[in-house]
Amino acid sequence: MTEPTGPGSNLANPKPSWRQMTRNHIPSLMYVAARIHPGLPESDHVFSERVNLFPAGCLALVQEGRDDLCGCLISHPIRYHQPPELDSLLGEIAEGVDQYYIHDLAILPEWRGCGFGREGIERVLGNAKQYQSTCLVSVYKTESFWARYGFQPVEIEEGLEEKVRGYGESAKFLEREN
């Protein structure tokens, strides 16, 4: 779908940048999600709902003049230690939210190593400042990546452990103070 401009590739293509995601990005997001998370499928309805409920937390990494995504970042507020199960709808942003949640960061391999992950994370952590902490479920043994941004494993209750297991064997619940 997209042509890489990552390290060592043809730089004639415009550099991607993060912008607010719209529902028009969802088909391309599904391509990115299927490529990056083939064992963790989620419905397009899940992503459409997140864009509708909390647009400020939904970012699309796109090249100027193109609609297909090079990556995406989905985030929103939740109640403390109550992230949604994989492939589930929220219905609404609950009253009394007190923690920020990064649902997904996915960047196509050909665009990695260019600082886009850092840029996107810093942008959503700006949204998160109003909450005491931010959490996420790390998949594919990416804890060391998230540690760069202050995320660390924390003790969690049994109900949350079950949700985290739904994200795969290597999934870990991580948290950071804002």
Side-chain angles (χ1 to χ4, degrees):
M1 267 187 119
T2 47
E3 298 171 27
T5 62
S9 64
N10 180 349
L11 296 176
N13 296 314
K15 179 182 172 186
S17 61
W18 290 105
R19 55 188 71 151
Q20 190 160 332
M21 186 178 290
T22 69
R23 290 177 57 189
N24 293 338
H25 290 118
I26 300 301
S28 185
L29 181 152
M30 296 307 293
Y31 168 80
V32 171
R35 193 159 158 213
I36 303 303
H37 304 303
L40 301 171
E42 292 194 272
S43 159
D44 59 345
H45 300 293
V46 168
F47 297 113
S48 291
E49 182 195 54
R50 301 307 193 271
V51 169
N52 287 335
L53 291 176
F54 198 75
C58 299
L59 303 178
L61 182 63
V62 295
Q63 288 178 289
E64 189 65 40
R66 307 212 34 193
D67 290 328
D68 50 321
L69 272 61
C70 304
C72 61
L73 203 162
I74 308 295
S75 63
H76 54 83
I78 60 170
R79 290 190 180 129
Y80 185 74
H81 281 202
Q82 294 184 27
E85 292 183 29
L86 185 67
D87 197 30
S88 66
L89 297 174
L90 299 175
E92 65 182 0
I93 300 294
E95 286 189 41
V97 292
D98 53 3
Q99 188 171 45
Y100 201 76
Y101 177 65
I102 298 177
H103 177 88
D104 194 11
L105 169 64
I107 298 175
L108 293 174
E110 56 269 28
W111 297 100
R112 293 180 186 164
C114 299
F116 298 123
R118 178 187 46 75
E119 290 173 11
I121 291 166
E122 288 174 358
R123 191 162 161 181
V124 297
L125 288 178
N127 293 337
K129 286 181 183 178
Q130 63 184 309
Y131 303 97
Q132 184 175 344
S133 62
T134 299
C135 65
L136 58 89
V137 177
S138 170
V139 296
Y140 312 128
K141 300 182 180 188
T142 55
E143 298 95 308
S144 62
F145 170 82
W146 291 107
R148 293 183 226 163
Y149 305 96
F151 289 92
Q152 298 296 320
V154 294
E155 282 192 42
I156 56 175
E157 50 281 348
E158 189 175 319
L160 180 51
E161 262 183 49
E162 287 180 38
K163 279 186 187 178
V164 171
R165 273 186 290 230
Y167 286 80
E169 271 186 44
S170 67
K172 302 276 189 245
F173 186 82
L174 306 179
E175 190 173 65
R176 65 166 259 158
E177 296 299 313
N178 290 333

